[in-house]
Amino acid sequence: MNLGNPVMIASGCGGTGRELDGLGVLDAVGAFVTRTITLDSRVGGAAPRVAESPSGLVHAIGLQNPGIDQFLTRELPWLAARKVPTHVSIAGATLGEHVDLARRLGQSPGVSGIEVNLSAPDASVWGLFDAQEPFQAARVVAAVRRDLPRGIAVHAKLAPDLSRVVEAARAVVEAGADAVVLVNAAPALLADGRTGGLSGPAIRPLALRCVHEVHSALTDLPVIGAGGIVETSDAREFLAAGAAAVQIGTALLHDPTTAARIAADLGGETP
């Protein structure tokens, strides 16, 4: 992977990037992953969208985003001017939407990579292409890869499904993914009965196990670990389990400087 250092901002947890400006975060991390962008804008789920849970957060954001047009007009130019290494998270309702997103992003300056969100806990609820089956995940990655310049990395973000995570990782790398991100939020339920995703330290052991399983089976595949990283010691656990890089997400909602602190602590450490 072509990263300045092994710490990244996870999708959906760093706002548009502007929210972190002035905190020394954007210059400190290897890459910023945007919130998930869809072809059309999405207003997201009804409030309340986030609830505290023991050692984690349950959320039902609904992939709120401005759509690709507004993203390319307002958000990406700011990140490009700020020279932030930017990976754009994408999701579509169909294979064709994924292709459209990849084609437009591939023609836009300032995009270092594409992170394909193949594991939204509520894909069917939000009308997205359900790519949690490895075969379907591979179809999406192949479609995205086909229309992107080779210099733009394709990362596949997978679900915390221990029974099939190795199968899914193998399928997406054979389809053209350059790396996998392990893992997305775990399926969960809000107290009012709405479905959502659980993130934070509660899922860290599960995420570590997924990283370990995939790295053990596919030793040459770069793995990006994500899930409940709060302290530098957490990041080191992921690197020891086989991750080549880590993403910081939920912890930023409590302390937006977490990623910068961990990047500084790791210094030149590599797996």
Side-chain angles (χ1 to χ4, degrees):
M1 290 187 297
N2 186 23
L3 298 174
N5 72 64
V7 178
M8 306 170 70
I9 302 293
S11 176
C13 300
T16 65
R18 289 181 173 87
E19 291 88 338
L20 300 175
D21 198 27
L23 297 174
V25 176
L26 296 176
D27 295 326
V29 297
F32 174 83
V33 186
T34 71
R35 54 181 162 175
T36 296
I37 302 298
T38 53
L39 198 61
D40 298 317
S41 63
R42 287 175 176 262
V43 297
R49 298 173 170 183
V50 177
E52 292 274 2
S53 177
S55 299
L57 291 177
V58 181
H59 39 84
I61 306 300
L63 298 184
Q64 179 186 3
N65 78 93
I68 189 65
D69 289 338
Q70 290 296 314
F71 173 77
L72 292 176
T73 301
R74 296 182 179 177
E75 296 187 15
L76 184 60
W78 184 88
L79 290 161
R82 188 68 174 69
K83 300 187 183 305
V84 179
T86 299
H87 290 222
V88 182
S89 173
I90 64 169
T94 64
L95 283 177
E97 286 194 7
H98 285 92
V99 170
D100 285 349
L101 288 162
R103 183 180 296 123
R104 296 184 66 179
L105 289 166
Q107 297 170 350
S108 302
V111 178
S112 301
I114 301 293
E115 182 177 283
V116 190
N117 186 349
L118 301 167
S119 48
D122 292 320
S124 59
V125 173
W126 300 110
L128 299 174
F129 187 89
D130 190 347
Q132 298 205 32
E133 275 290 319
F135 170 73
Q136 299 292 13
R139 292 180 69 201
V140 173
V141 169
V144 168
R145 178 75 276 174
R146 185 171 58 241
D147 285 295
L148 277 178
R150 295 305 304 182
I152 297 180
V154 174
H155 296 173
K157 191 167 188 176
L158 303 179
D161 180 358
L162 264 175
S163 66
R164 305 193 73 179
V165 69
V166 172
E167 179 186 356
R170 182 176 287 112
V172 296
V173 72
E174 289 176 352
D178 300 293
V180 294
V181 183
L182 303 172
V183 290
N184 208 333
L189 195 71
L190 288 160
D192 62 8
R194 287 178 295 157
T195 57
L198 172 64
S199 62
I203 69 166
R204 188 163 61 234
L206 176 59
L208 278 167
R209 176 69 180 269
C210 289
V211 169
H212 172 74
E213 295 285 328
V214 170
H215 176 67
S216 298
L218 304 168
T219 54
D220 293 333
L221 174 64
V223 174
I224 301 169
I229 297 174
V230 178
E231 303 295 341
T232 305
S233 57
D234 304 329
R236 289 192 174 110
E237 288 181 0
F238 276 87
L239 298 177
V246 295
Q247 291 187 354
I248 314 300
T250 303
L252 298 175
L253 305 179
H254 296 282
D255 178 2
T257 67
T258 301
R261 171 172 51 80
I262 291 175
D265 289 346
L266 290 178
E269 290 183 34
T270 54

